[in-house]
Amino acid sequence: MKYFVNDEHWDIESYYKNLESLSKRLGTSYQLLKDISFHDYRLAKIEVKEIKNLEIEINLYLCNPYESTNYAIVWKNVKKFSFQYNYLKYRYANVDDYVVDDGYGTVLEDEITVYDEIYLQHELLFTSRMKLYLMGENIEIRQI
């Protein structure tokens, strides 16, 4: 992450300048990203679809736990993605028990930045310490 490094380092002003520089590439999703933040949204579902041979689409479904606002983030022509999740990281020290979590957790930080002239990248970090990384050609965000 470049703009949301951790809870102590959030460069929101520079991130919004970054989004503005990507406005043409983001298309209709730009206005949504400018107006809302996915911080504190819960990841409800992840879908990985192979549309045709090596043409990958990934759908992320996020819900706001405080109001009934849900979004689908659709990444098309994905060339790289990874999920890193390890439940064992939540083990209490010196006790044979685990911290109670809310599944994948809620989004702590997420940012969309340029990868190169063709691809954008999206990084998300969750309360469960899961990390989600996507690199794709197109993003479409819609309220559901």
Side-chain angles (χ1 to χ4, degrees), residues 75-81 115-116 119-122 133-137:
W75 277 97
K76 296 182 180 183
N77 200 16
V78 173
K79 295 301 178 199
K80 184 177 182 180
F81 67 94
Y115 181 79
D116 62 17
Y119 298 101
L120 297 171
Q121 58 189 5
H122 194 180
Y133 174 83
L134 298 156
M135 180 186 54
E137 192 169 344

Side-chain angles (χ1 to χ4, degrees), residues 1 4-10 38-43 60 62 82-86 89-90 101-102 104-112 122-134:
M1 297 239 189
F4 302 110
V5 177
N6 56 42
D7 286 340
E8 292 80 38
H9 180 154
W10 282 15
F38 292 119
H39 177 73
D40 285 342
Y41 274 69
R42 285 185 42 80
L43 178 62
L60 307 174
L62 301 174
S82 65
F83 305 108
Q84 295 176 0
Y85 178 77
N86 183 354
K89 285 185 177 181
Y90 268 112
D101 191 293
D102 55 354
Y104 296 122
T106 56
V107 177
L108 288 174
E109 291 104 17
D110 87 294
E111 65 181 39
I112 297 171
H122 194 180
E123 296 174 86
L124 299 100
L125 179 64
F126 295 83
T127 56
S128 65
R129 299 185 186 139
M130 180 175 87
K131 293 178 183 176
L132 174 57
Y133 174 83
L134 298 156

Side-chain angles (χ1 to χ4, degrees), residues 15-16 19-20 22-23 26-39 41 62 67 69-74 110 112 122 139-144:
Y15 181 64
Y16 281 108
L19 281 180
E20 188 175 340
L22 298 175
S23 62
L26 293 169
T28 57
S29 298
Y30 168 70
Q31 193 62 45
L32 268 171
L33 290 167
K34 182 180 166 189
D35 293 341
I36 64 163
S37 165
F38 292 119
H39 177 73
Y41 274 69
L62 301 174
E67 44 187 75
T69 310
N70 301 320
Y71 288 93
I73 301 174
V74 179
D110 87 294
I112 297 171
H122 194 180
I139 183 174
E140 178 184 307
I141 303 172
R142 65 181 185 279
Q143 190 172 350
I144 52 175

